[in-house]
Amino acid sequence: MPRWNPNTEDRLRAAAVELFLERGYENVTVAEITERAGLTRRSFSRYFADKRDVLFAGSEQLPVALADSVRRADGTLSPCEAVLTALLDVAGALADQAPLAAQRRAVVRASPELQERGRTKLAAATDAVADALRERGTAESEATLLAEVGVAIFRTAFERWTDQPDDLALPTRIREAAADLAASLGAVDFTALPHP
């Protein structure tokens, strides 16, 4: 009869992140992760495809969640307001992940391979948001621009949140990042920019 290990996924993730922070992502094997967690390789394989998956498992839900939220946004909202509403909606679901998110971010920052994987995940979120905006009737180029800006706001807010997880909630950080962008754009005199 198989043995049930409570919190197996959490134990594996915690062991992996500890080891990645201690030794660097590239210097840790799955065998070392399972040994640290007191589990088997088979247990690891039930939850994660590989050691990168420990850091990115569940991130495939972000594009879907953002796009669904854009689609559900009130039809009277502008495309920009729909994107910001979606960011705030999704941020609320991540509230309890700040401490682990900060550790994961530190591991990713130290690895070019993981940084590239992170950029790929954000690109998928951008594409999903742009598709959802197009479904709402937003023009192609505007949908792409707003999706890219929205994901940049989310990334900036997420970084600020993980840098100081006890300071402000992620939705507050999203509002802050959006306000910073709006203030920066408001300070630009677009008519004074040089013409090519």
Side-chain angles (χ1 to χ4, degrees):
M1 177 191 310
R3 225 173 44 186
W4 177 73
N5 290 305
N7 305 317
T8 299
E9 184 176 3
D10 292 339
R11 287 170 55 196
L12 287 164
R13 185 173 281 117
V17 170
E18 283 174 13
L19 286 167
F20 295 158
L21 289 170
E22 287 171 17
R23 301 182 197 165
Y25 169 79
E26 289 80 6
N27 302 317
V28 175
T29 66
V30 170
E32 291 168 327
I33 294 168
T34 57
E35 181 180 333
R36 171 77 61 101
L39 298 163
T40 65
R41 170 68 190 233
R42 188 172 179 188
S43 294
F44 184 93
S45 298
R46 281 190 197 117
Y47 296 96
F48 306 109
D50 56 34
K51 68 180 188 174
R52 285 180 308 181
D53 201 31
V54 170
L55 298 167
F56 293 101
S59 64
E60 69 281 353
Q61 296 171 18
L62 180 63
V64 174
L66 285 171
D68 287 347
S69 189
V70 167
R71 287 183 192 100
R72 285 192 318 271
D74 187 320
T76 63
L77 295 177
S78 71
C80 186
E81 291 169 327
V83 170
L84 291 173
T85 298
L87 296 179
L88 292 168
D89 184 41
V90 170
L94 299 174
D96 62 341
Q97 296 184 20
L100 187 56
Q103 292 174 329
R104 278 188 261 184
R105 188 163 161 253
V107 172
V108 171
R109 263 192 298 218
S111 169
E113 175 189 346
L114 295 175
Q115 289 172 26
E116 180 60 31
R117 176 100 179 240
R119 285 189 291 271
T120 300
K121 297 291 186 181
L122 289 174
T126 301
D127 291 345
V129 170
D131 288 344
L133 285 169
R134 285 192 226 36
E135 290 173 23
R136 286 176 59 97
T138 307
E140 178 80 26
S141 63
E142 184 183 4
T144 300
L145 175 63
L146 289 174
E148 288 174 357
V149 169
V151 171
I153 288 170
F154 185 84
R155 188 191 75 239
T156 299
F158 191 83
E159 289 171 359
R160 291 175 179 179
W161 180 59
T162 57
D163 284 345
Q164 298 174 324
D166 297 328
D167 188 16
L168 297 171
L170 182 55
T172 303
R173 290 293 187 182
I174 287 172
R175 286 184 180 90
E176 174 189 85
D180 289 350
L181 177 62
S184 295
L185 290 174
V188 174
D189 180 1
F190 291 100
T191 60
L193 294 175
H195 296 280

